[in-house]
């Protein structure tokens, strides 16, 4: 069987947006797509409000840990989706990159984080359809 496609979500702290995106992709695609996330300057822990917002819709990201972005992670991914990490993300020829303009959930209340969570879901559905055959 061919390797399954993989998507790497990257933000600065790997504590909110990228963790929620990876959670959504895993939830929506199951094991058909590998979802990874990393940060250019990872935080100590995942944002508790992001965990709460995902928990409300039945997605558990409590086990997720912020990870540092590595060249290997980028090279091993089919699609790299950045969320405000700017020039910190290494660029490789032949990789597909997208940059999502999303508010950072850090320091925001649950209402604001719910909006970000729902925005991420609609964005995750697009690469999902492109990476999976019908």
């Amino acid at each position: 069987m061919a390797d399954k496609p993989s998507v790497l979500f990257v933000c600065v702290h790997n504590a909110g947006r990228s963790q929620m995106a990876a959670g959504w992709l895993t939830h929506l695609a199951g094991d058909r797509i590998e979802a990874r996330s990393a940060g250019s300057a990872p935080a100590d822990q995942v944002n508790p409000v992001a965990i709460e917002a995902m928990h409300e819709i039945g997605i558990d990201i409590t086990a997720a840990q912020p990870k540092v972005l590595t060249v290997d992670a980028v090279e091993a991914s089919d699609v790299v989706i950045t969320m405000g990490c700017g020039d910190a993300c290494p660029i490789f020829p032949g990789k597909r990159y997208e940059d999502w303009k999303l508010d950072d959930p850090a320091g925001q209340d649950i209402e604001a984080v719910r909006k970000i969570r729902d925005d991420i879901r609609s964005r995750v559905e697009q690469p999902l359809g492109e990476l999976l055959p019908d």
Side-chain angles (χ1 to χ4, degrees), residues 69-105:
L69 176 65
T70 64
V71 168
D72 290 347
V74 175
E75 285 185 315
S77 300
D78 297 302
V79 180
V80 179
I81 297 174
T82 58
M83 305 169 186
C85 63
D87 298 334
C89 302
I91 303 290
F92 292 97
K95 294 283 172 205
R96 182 170 141 210
Y97 291 88
E98 290 182 23
D99 187 54
W100 292 354
K101 304 287 185 227
L102 290 165
D103 290 337
D104 188 341

Side-chain angles (χ1 to χ4, degrees), residues 12-32:
V12 177
H13 300 300
N14 189 214
R17 294 166 289 189
S18 53
Q19 294 286 359
M20 289 193 288
W24 269 123
L25 185 61
T26 300
H27 176 74
L28 296 168
D31 60 2
R32 298 174 299 164

Side-chain angles (χ1 to χ4, degrees), residues 4-5 7 10 22 24 28-30 43-44 47 51-53 55 74-76 103 108 111 113-115 117 128 131-132:
K4 60 185 167 186
V7 178
V10 182
W24 269 123
L28 296 168
D44 296 332
N47 180 336
I51 291 172
E52 180 185 350
H55 183 75
V74 175
E75 285 185 315
D103 290 337
Q108 303 230 40
E111 283 296 317
V113 176
R114 283 181 188 130
K115 288 186 181 88
R117 174 198 71 200
L128 188 67
L131 290 168
L132 291 177

